[in-house]
Amino acid sequence: MSQALFSEPQTPLDESVRQQLIREFEQLLPAESVLKDDADLLPYESDGLAVYRQKPPIVVLPETTEQVQRILTICNEHKVPVVARGAGTGLSGGALPLVNGIVLGMAKFNQIIDIDEQARTAIVQPGVRNLAISEAASDYDLYYAPDPSSQIACTIGGNVAENSGGVHCLKYGLTVHNVLQVKAVTIDGELITFGGTAPDCPGYDLLGLLHGSEGMLAVTVEITVKLLPKPTSTKLLMAAFDSVQKAGDAVASIIGSGIIPAGLEMMDKPAIIAAEAFAKCGYPTDAEALFLCELDGSEEEVEAQLKSVEALIKDNDVTTLHIAADETERMLLWKGRKSAFPAVGRLSPDYYCIDGTIPRRHLSTVLQRMNEWSNDYGLRIANVFHAGDGNLHPLILFDANIEGELERTEELGGKILELCVEVGGTITGEHGVGMEKINQMCVQFGSDEITQFHAVKNAFDPDALLNPGKAIPTLNRCAEFGALHVHHGELPHPELERF
Amino acid sequence: MDSADQIKQQVAQAFGDKSPLAISGGGSKNFLGVRADVAELSTAGHHGITSYEPSELVITAKAGTTLTELRATLAEHRQMLPFEPPAFSDSATIGGTIACGLSGPARPYIGAARDFVLGCTIISGRAQQLVFGGQVMKNVAGYDVTRLMTGAMGTLGVLLDVSMKVLPVAETEVTFVQQLNVDHAITTMQSLAGKSLPVTASAYHHGQLYYRLAGSPAAIKAAAAQLGGDATDDNEFWYELREHKLDFFNQSDMPLWRLSLPALVPELAFESKSATLYDWAGTQRWIFSNADASLIREMASKAGGYAQLFRADKDLKKSAGVNHPPAAAIMKLHRNLKREFDPEAILNPGRLYAEL
Ligand SMILES: Cc1cc2nc3c(=O)[nH]c(=O)nc-3n(C[C@H](O)[C@H](O)[C@H](O)COP(=O)(O)OP(=O)(O)OC[C@H]3O[C@@H](n4cnc5c(N)ncnc54)[C@H](O)[C@@H]3O)c2cc1C
């Protein structure tokens, strides 16, 4: 099915080119690091968005920077596309292979090179798992703040490519706010250092530009991250409400009062019920909405904030308010939220995770509309929500074995994303565009912006060999999708045929 | 024709004629970088706050809006621009602020200009009006062009409006002072943020270490007990530092250098002979020096940082270059991006680097 999803029809890699590439790679890498047989290639067919699959013609697994430089040089000479891959937990098909290109697996770059306790930085290879950084830094009472729910598996290289967030990014920022320097190789094989450990690297913010660029500008080979001191005190409140509106109002009043919680995560009724059934964490299942609010810092700061937050929540008609008594209960309450995906997964053969961001004030309107569509489509939706920053994750429950249900799910997902744009938000807060949201890019951006995005890629990768066809749609594709948004009443590119 | 269309038309004209423009907001940072002697494009007439939602921590303003107006509006809701940008004049605009990308004393603790930009509208060098990013805090749709514009000194596009994340003003702020020698001060400043305490600024000058705590009174009291130093009621110090109004900044006609260095770099050889002020926990250093520019740059590079010729006469700025020259591969990417955004090189030519 994936064929139909690509911007442009793809011609599979010519067998003689494939054989030639394998020979060149085998001169460079040990034989076991060049995968070419179906059985070995199978695990690389998809990323975390498993409904899209494509068997790659070759997978290479380098372990040194020089090897990455050589591989890219070889691919550049043959004009063969390259899809970089971390752990493959991406949820938008960013690491989905191409029929005409190789997969460059970065899993062997798994070393933590240095932790500087005094400077509070860590130098790591891109294949290091997100959580492994905090585990290693823990000896010094330091940690790496961005904590995607996938942190036991996803790699820091993937985090940079997606600019990943986590439940604590409201206070501590996204990946881009916590990375100081990236060493990356461009398609011509050149190793370049972006950013640095001194503040305000002069010139254009190319380090910022690499974040969220989905492997389309360069391949990351080394990352220097900032580490933070562990907070001395952490408190978690759970607050339940009889309407989403009231929960939303309570969130707004906390933030409006001048407190930035470390985490602020909301769930709607279907998500609460699923999480409670899965984790038995003590969520009130009769609530319409619930949020977890975490406060951290020094003992005194947390004490003061806790008092204010409690009062604000009580002012908003809370039905249950509970403060985790100890660390065990705090972890248990988080477990419910963090396992919301698998919990929902148990209710249904398949589920589809959406990732839009909205200005928070539109939350109840958006949820209301989703409820109506859920009825129209006959598909259940559970919502988990990074409430502090408006990042919504509706999970649509479906059964891929029922004819046409996946297609209807994708259609519903697309509508939800378009609604996010309509209320002033965006089609992706943290999972990236990849292959999945390529059509909705045509809704969010006009043809001039899309053309400018291609121009940015052109500045780095003139032959479009790094992860081509992902993240930025062609104008042809937008015309086909029928969603080019029209500037000043003129249709862009009137010369293009419309379908 | 509205003010945005006027700007767009002026860029279109310049694009057609291949005649360069010098962009200005309030002119407060005309001294920064090498300004080309060409026709001026002013964004001052394009002003006003277009949306502000305090409970969402987001504000959007047209490029010509003054920092004074923005700060006043935010203050009504006890919020602020967290990166504490210097204004250097009441005329300073938000467009110029983001284009210059400068940040104030809170930078190492709270973040830089680039950390708080969410979205922007620009007029590119092809006179196209383009919208990137948005008004939400998490957004990974398309490349992050908004960050690319931050600090680009207007060489990639004319900013028309900017959306930013804002933060609440702390309940209380207290400044503390301590007498220390320079080596000790550099390590102390670095260690201040190594504990989970609400430090939001630190600087060192004339044998005195200054640091700022922000938060609830109880938290400040407890932190101060751990960190030491004497409380002062002088929070003005940070304002004067940010705005270069401290006596330090008026003492000399020598060129003023701004060094950015990694954490814990000890006093450099030429610093001991020059007037030096340490900000940002010692990672930003203001130095009056007549030393040879290439020597200063070499020392900064060796220490892993950069040297910017912040204030100097035009001849020196032209001969020495204002910004620390990047590696060749980075410069090539700069040229490529410049070509893609401003193919006729009409926007602020030479302002950032002579060849852009
Ligand atoms: C259960 C679950 C929960 C999740 N929760 C979150 C969450 O809370 N927040 C969040 O933001 N995301 C979340 N994700 C999504 C995903 O984990 C992140 O996007 C993660 O950053 C992907 O890392 P990865 O190593 O798996 O990258 P991959 O999936 O392998 O690749 C992702 C992208 O990065 C590129 N890439 C990978 N490595 C490199 C490199 N070295 N150089 C250049 N490009 C590279 C790839 O080409 C691809 O475009 C979740 C996923 C799952 C399955």
Side-chain angles (χ1 to χ4, degrees):
Chain A
M1 66 163 295
S2 62
Q3 276 300 310
L5 295 161
F6 283 96
S7 301
E8 308 300 336
Q10 293 188 324
T11 321
L13 195 59
D14 187 81
E15 187 52 29
S16 66
V17 179
R18 189 174 103 94
Q19 291 305 333
Q20 171 65 25
L21 283 171
I22 289 171
R23 275 193 299 276
E24 292 188 41
F25 293 146
E26 283 180 342
Q27 278 170 17
L28 186 66
L29 303 171
E32 70 271 16
S33 298
V34 182
L35 312 183
K36 49 186 192 284
D37 300 329
D38 281 2
D40 295 333
L41 296 172
L42 199 67
Y44 295 89
E45 267 192 348
S46 74
D47 63 3
L49 184 67
V51 291
Y52 295 0
R53 290 182 182 278
Q54 175 64 58
K55 190 182 72 181
I58 305 172
V59 175
V60 286
L61 303 170
E63 48 194 313
T64 69
T65 296
E66 294 69 32
Q67 289 170 349
V68 173
Q69 290 179 276
R70 279 296 300 148
I71 291 166
L72 291 179
T73 308
I74 291 168
C75 290
N76 196 24
E77 277 163 15
H78 291 278
K79 300 297 168 218
V80 168
V82 179
V83 179
R85 180 183 174 102
T89 67
L91 290 173
S92 55
L96 180 71
L98 303 172
V99 277
N100 60 345
I102 68 156
V103 167
L104 177 61
M106 297 299 285
K108 294 194 172 185
F109 279 77
N110 58 2
Q111 299 300 309
I112 295 180
I113 298 169
D114 184 42
I115 292 183
D116 185 334
E117 182 186 1
Q118 253 69 46
R120 295 187 294 277
T121 55
I123 305 176
V124 302
Q125 292 190 321
V128 169
R129 291 172 304 110
N130 172 296
L131 187 61
I133 303 175
S134 289
E135 283 170 352
S138 181
D139 295 348
Y140 311 100
D141 255 344
L142 299 170
Y143 75 110
Y144 173 67
D147 55 345
S149 306
S150 51
Q151 69 182 149
I152 45 168
C154 67
T155 69
I156 184 74
N159 292 173
V160 170
E162 301 287 7
N163 191 17
S164 300
V167 295
H168 289 99
C169 67
L170 175 63
K171 184 167 174 185
Y172 297 107
L174 305 160
T175 304
V176 69
H177 301 109
N178 290 278
V179 169
L180 299 170
Q181 176 181 297
V182 161
K183 290 187 183 172
V185 181
T186 45
I187 187 67
D188 51 11
E190 187 156 20
L191 176 65
I192 305 181
T193 302
F194 297 91
T197 50
D200 292 6
C201 182
Y204 300 150
D205 187 359
L206 302 179
L207 179 67
L209 188 63
L210 281 189
H211 281 81
S213 66
E214 304 196 21
M216 296 176 60
L217 302 181
V219 175
T220 301
V221 292
E222 189 191 289
I223 299 157
T224 305
V225 300
K226 243 185 352 197
L227 301 174
L228 297 182
K230 284 190 196 163
T232 36
S233 170
T234 307
K235 293 272 189 232
L236 183 69
L237 293 95
M238 177 188 73
F241 300 82
D242 61 15
S243 81
V244 170
Q245 175 77 42
K246 285 178 187 162
D249 290 347
V251 167
S253 71
I254 293 170
I255 292 181
S257 80
I259 292 168
I260 307 293
L264 197 47
E265 295 290 310
M266 200 192 280
M267 285 179 268
D268 70 358
K269 188 166 199 163
I272 297 169
I273 293 173
E276 178 58 24
F278 185 83
K280 313 245 177 328
C281 46
Y283 293 167
T285 46
D286 56 344
E288 286 298 319
L290 167 158
F291 66 72
L292 299 176
C293 173
E294 185 155 287
L295 302 167
D296 72 9
S298 67
E299 299 277 355
E300 297 76 15
E301 194 66 53
V302 171
E303 247 352 280
Q305 291 191 348
L306 191 65
K307 274 208 193 91
S308 316
V309 169
E310 262 190 278
L312 290 164
I313 291 176
K314 283 180 184 153
D315 283 349
N316 279 284
D317 269 357
V318 66
T319 51
T320 311
L321 174 62
H322 181 72
I323 302 169
D326 52 24
E327 197 54 18
T328 316
E329 196 189 5
R330 187 175 77 86
M331 297 319 285
L332 184 64
L333 286 171
W334 270 125
K335 187 180 169 208
R337 163 61 185 87
K338 291 204 172 186
S339 52
F341 289 13
V344 167
R346 288 206 317 184
L347 301 183
S348 160
D350 302 284
Y351 70 93
Y352 197 91
C353 175
I354 313 288
D355 165 47
T357 303
I358 56 169
R360 202 179 343 91
R361 61 186 177 281
H362 297 302
L363 178 61
S364 20
T365 327
V366 168
L367 289 187
Q368 179 58 36
R369 194 91 70 86
M370 273 200 260
N371 269 336
E372 289 162 22
W373 288 339
S374 168
N375 290 333
D376 296 350
Y377 279 78
L379 294 167
R380 287 178 295 165
I381 304 179
N383 271 289
V384 294
F385 185 45
H386 303 299
D389 41 36
N391 189 191
L392 200 60
H393 290 314
L395 304 167
I396 307 176
L397 282 52
F398 72 102
D399 183 349
N401 288 327
I402 297 176
E403 167 93 22
E405 196 150 299
L406 171 62
E407 286 69 21
R408 281 192 302 123
T409 301
E410 287 188 312
E411 190 184 305
L412 174 57
K415 273 177 90 154
I416 294 173
L417 294 180
E418 287 158 31
L419 176 62
C420 292
V421 176
E422 193 188 310
V423 301
T426 169
I427 58 170
T428 171
E430 57 183 13
H431 294 167
V433 173
M435 205 60 244
E436 180 204 21
K437 294 181 243 348
I438 196 112
N439 286 340
Q440 279 72 33
M441 281 292 282
C442 317
V443 178
Q444 182 153 347
F445 293 101
S447 59
D448 290 346
E449 283 84 5
I450 288 172
T451 305
Q452 193 64 52
F453 286 142
H454 287 296
V456 168
K457 180 161 174 64
N458 196 44
F460 282 76
D461 176 21
D463 292 317
L465 295 176
L466 290 173
N467 218 1
K470 309 282 179 66
I472 316 292
T474 60
L475 293 182
N476 264 321
R477 184 180 178 90
C478 289
E480 208 171 314
F481 180 61
L484 258 191
H485 89 215
V486 176
H487 268 314
H488 310 298
E490 297 160 31
L491 263 176
H493 296 269
E495 75 280 8
L496 294 178
E497 207 177 323
R498 261 156 251 276
F499 299 80
Chain B
M1 191 167 18
D2 73 10
S3 51
D5 288 337
Q6 271 170 21
I7 293 171
K8 190 170 165 180
Q9 200 179 52
Q10 197 179 347
V11 177
Q13 182 83 39
F15 178 59
D17 299 347
K18 304 190 198 313
S19 60
L21 295 170
I23 309 164
S24 91
S28 65
K29 288 160 194 87
N30 278 352
F31 68 87
L32 192 62
V34 180
R35 241 175 103 76
D37 227 348
V38 296
E40 184 176 279
L41 180 151
S42 170
T43 60
H46 185 60
H47 60 86
I49 293 168
T50 44
S51 82
Y52 175 35
E53 205 58 55
S55 75
E56 309 233 4
L57 305 174
V58 177
I59 195 163
T60 304
K62 294 181 192 170
T65 313
T66 61
L67 277 184
T68 314
E69 181 185 344
L70 263 178
R71 286 191 157 122
T73 305
L74 292 169
E76 283 170 26
H77 298 270
R78 285 195 57 80
Q79 294 188 339
M80 61 171 182
L81 294 174
F83 58 103
E84 301 188 327
F88 296 139
S89 154
D90 289 344
S91 63
T93 63
I94 189 62
T97 297
I98 297 304
C100 294
L102 298 175
S103 312
R107 193 233 187 271
Y109 306 95
I110 312 290
R114 55 95 76 173
D115 294 319
F116 291 94
V117 290
L118 301 176
C120 64
T121 306
I122 65 162
I123 306 289
S124 73
R126 289 193 177 86
Q128 286 180 324
Q129 185 166 333
L130 306 170
V131 185
F132 297 105
Q135 300 186 319
V136 286
M137 281 179 220
K138 284 167 86 179
N139 186 354
V140 288
Y143 300 117
D144 196 342
V145 176
T146 311
R147 273 200 179 80
L148 195 56
M149 293 294 146
T150 309
M153 298 295 291
T155 58
L156 296 176
V158 184
L159 285 164
L160 270 193
D161 64 47
V162 191
S163 297
M164 287 161 295
K165 178 177 173 180
V166 298
L167 283 179
V169 173
E171 192 181 342
T172 6
E173 283 187 346
V174 184
T175 300
F176 293 81
V177 186
Q178 221 173 336
Q179 309 284 333
L180 286 177
N181 70 32
V182 61
D183 295 339
H184 198 175
I186 290 172
T187 50
T188 305
M189 285 193 282
Q190 177 62 18
S191 67
L192 283 177
K195 305 177 189 101
S196 160
L197 297 173
V199 180
T200 61
S202 66
Y204 178 75
H205 175 50
H206 257 332
Q208 306 239 55
L209 171 87
Y210 300 78
Y211 72 90
R212 183 175 66 187
L213 295 175
S216 70
I220 291 180
K221 199 168 151 214
Q226 275 191 57
L227 297 174
D230 301 317
T232 73
D233 44 17
D234 180 18
N235 287 321
E236 280 296 282
F237 174 80
W238 305 106
Y239 164 77
E240 290 176 356
L241 169 57
R242 182 188 91 194
E243 296 298 336
H244 289 193
K245 287 188 169 164
L246 292 174
D247 289 342
F248 170 85
F249 291 99
N250 296 318
Q251 64 178 287
S252 172
D253 294 329
M254 281 193 262
L256 177 64
W257 286 88
R258 170 183 176 237
L259 265 61
S260 314
L261 299 170
L264 293 166
V265 173
E267 184 181 46
L268 299 177
F270 82 106
E271 287 176 358
S272 55
K273 295 185 226 106
S274 324
T276 304
L277 189 150
Y278 298 76
D279 192 4
W280 296 2
T283 62
Q284 173 171 259
R285 301 180 188 182
W286 298 100
I287 303 169
F288 285 102
S289 175
N290 271 327
D292 187 51
S294 53
L295 185 90
I296 294 179
R297 293 228 155 97
E298 195 188 312
M299 275 193 268
S301 291
K302 269 202 184 131
Y306 329 105
Q308 181 186 33
L309 187 48
F310 201 76
R311 285 184 201 263
D313 64 50
K314 200 160 184 173
D315 291 343
L316 180 61
K317 288 199 289 184
K318 275 195 164 158
S319 64
V322 167
N323 290 301
H324 202 97
I330 292 282
M331 196 48 149
K332 184 175 146 203
L333 290 173
H334 275 66
R335 277 196 302 272
N336 292 353
L337 283 165
K338 174 75 175 170
R339 185 193 66 219
E340 300 292 354
F341 280 86
D342 180 19
E344 301 295 350
I346 53 169
L347 301 177
N348 274 355
R351 181 95 193 238
L352 182 67
Y353 288 114
E355 61 179 288
L356 290 183

